[in-house]
Amino acid sequence: EENEAAIPLLQSLLDSGEAVIVHTITELLDFSINYTLGYNIEEFEPGHVFLILHYDEENYYYLEDPFAQINYDYFIPYKGRKDIGVMAKDKMNEIFKHYLRCHTISFNWDQEDLLQTRVKATIEESIKSYSKPEETLETGNVQYTGRAAICKLMELSEGEGIDLNAGVEGESVNLLGFLPWLFSILDKKRRLLALGLQLLVKQEKVMGVDERLFEALKKSEKLWVKCKNLIEKNKIRGKERFDSTYSSILKEILEVEDVLNELLENTEFIGCSN
């Protein structure tokens, strides 16, 4: 179902306990950074999605990317859960009438080897990215990933540092929005990798897992969150430069990521084929 006909489907899915991935015109949603007064619907092209968790007689309750997608001038948080947004149901339904598609996720538990394959691929990609040197692109810009990116951040933080209000090429946000979002993604990747490895250890599908690996994953997760939180706290204080106040935590991150990468290289999978 699409557009207005999908509204009953959305509410039916929510009634059944599903969280629903929603595709609609974010340019009409005032809590979105894409919100545009006088937007011409004929120019709409499907793109960004967000998550609706629940609805009642008056409102929808949703989750949106807090670092890169929310316009806080219009964002209304749910009481007691500042990460959950609230929008009047009638208001959102008017937008859904123009365009709405609903998606849900289900897990295929029959594919027993999928977890092992995905975790192995994640580790291999992580090792490859971490050791990748800086790369000069055709545009003349230099791309940094993995260890090179952390070292570059350490270099940029020296002295007066860099202005976090500076834009990010290829992104619709500035560094003040982009870096916390990026660090949040790294935190979640560490959590998911730890969870996947723990399940594989129980299934005896992985060997050579040093207990220090789980400790390193946990420490890495906490440090990326700590760095993200520091940016957000400094923003509240009106301090919007990425400077030497971040040097010590970046040094900690580099040390932990070096250990983590070495431990990941020593992880062996049993009977796993790509």
Side-chain angles (χ1 to χ4, degrees):
E1 301 290 344
E2 292 188 23
N3 306 339
E4 187 171 5
I7 295 176
L9 172 62
L10 167 64
Q11 295 178 355
S12 174
L13 290 169
L14 292 169
D15 288 339
S16 69
E18 295 273 8
V20 183
I21 301 168
V22 168
H23 209 167
T24 192
I25 307 174
T26 56
E27 288 82 358
L28 300 180
L29 294 168
D30 57 13
F31 65 77
S32 171
I33 62 165
N34 298 321
Y35 178 60
T36 307
L37 283 172
Y39 180 70
N40 183 359
I41 297 175
E42 293 182 0
E43 297 178 357
F44 171 67
E45 293 183 5
H48 184 70
V49 298
F50 63 99
L51 194 66
I52 293 186
L53 305 173
H54 181 66
Y55 78 105
D56 55 27
E57 290 295 321
E58 297 181 354
N59 302 306
Y60 283 109
Y61 302 87
Y62 64 89
L63 272 178
E64 178 58 287
D65 184 342
F67 306 115
Q69 294 295 331
I70 289 180
N71 179 351
Y72 283 97
D73 291 336
Y74 297 96
F75 177 72
I76 301 173
Y78 178 65
K79 186 178 180 180
R81 284 292 302 272
K82 294 182 179 180
D83 56 331
I84 296 177
V86 181
M87 188 172 188
K89 188 170 70 173
D90 291 344
K91 187 176 179 180
M92 195 175 280
N93 280 344
E94 283 300 313
I95 298 168
F96 289 162
K97 289 178 182 178
H98 295 292
Y99 185 85
L100 172 64
R101 296 191 68 185
C102 302
H103 312 266
T104 58
I105 297 174
S106 60
F107 294 96
N108 187 346
W109 299 107
D110 295 330
Q111 297 186 20
E112 295 181 358
D113 294 333
L114 186 59
L115 174 64
Q116 186 179 13
T117 302
R118 291 287 173 83
V119 171
K120 183 174 185 287
T122 298
I123 289 176
E124 289 174 346
E125 181 59 33
S126 180
I127 294 170
K128 180 181 177 182
S129 297
Y130 192 70
S131 58
K132 186 177 180 180
E134 63 186 65
E135 178 183 3
T136 302
L137 306 177
E138 292 182 359
T139 59
N141 294 328
V142 180
Q143 183 177 34
Y144 300 87
T145 58
R147 194 179 198 279
I150 299 172
C151 290
K152 187 62 180 180
L153 279 175
M154 293 174 69
E155 178 188 329
L156 291 172
S157 71
E158 294 175 357
E160 294 184 0
I162 54 174
D163 183 2
L164 287 172
N165 289 303
V168 181
E169 183 163 340
E171 302 290 340
S172 60
V173 295
N174 55 21
L175 287 169
L176 198 56
F178 179 75
L179 287 180
W181 170 82
L182 177 62
F183 297 164
S184 179
I185 293 296
L186 291 169
D187 152 47
K188 291 177 176 61
K189 284 186 174 182
R190 300 296 181 265
R191 290 194 215 179
L192 288 172
L193 181 55
L195 178 60
L197 280 170
Q198 286 166 355
L199 289 171
L200 290 176
V201 168
K202 289 180 181 179
Q203 298 172 5
E204 298 183 346
K205 291 186 176 181
V206 63
M207 60 185 295
V209 178
D210 192 316
E211 192 60 36
R212 291 178 300 164
L213 174 56
F214 294 107
E215 295 173 4
L217 283 167
K218 188 66 177 177
K219 191 168 184 180
S220 172
E221 170 197 325
K222 288 183 176 180
L223 285 171
W224 286 117
V225 170
K226 183 179 179 181
C227 198
K228 173 183 76 70
N229 290 344
L230 182 58
I231 292 175
E232 293 169 347
K233 288 177 181 177
N234 282 339
K235 178 184 176 181
I236 294 172
R237 297 169 184 149
K239 185 178 179 181
E240 298 181 349
R241 295 199 70 81
F242 195 82
D243 56 20
S244 58
T245 58
Y246 295 88
S247 297
S248 61
I249 189 171
L250 288 172
K251 183 179 179 181
E252 281 188 82
I253 286 173
L254 183 63
E255 290 173 354
V256 170
E257 294 294 329
D258 280 346
V259 171
L260 176 57
N261 188 66
E262 182 179 349
L263 291 168
L264 287 174
E265 288 179 338
N266 294 327
T267 303
E268 299 179 28
F269 292 82
I270 300 171
C272 180
S273 59
N274 291 324

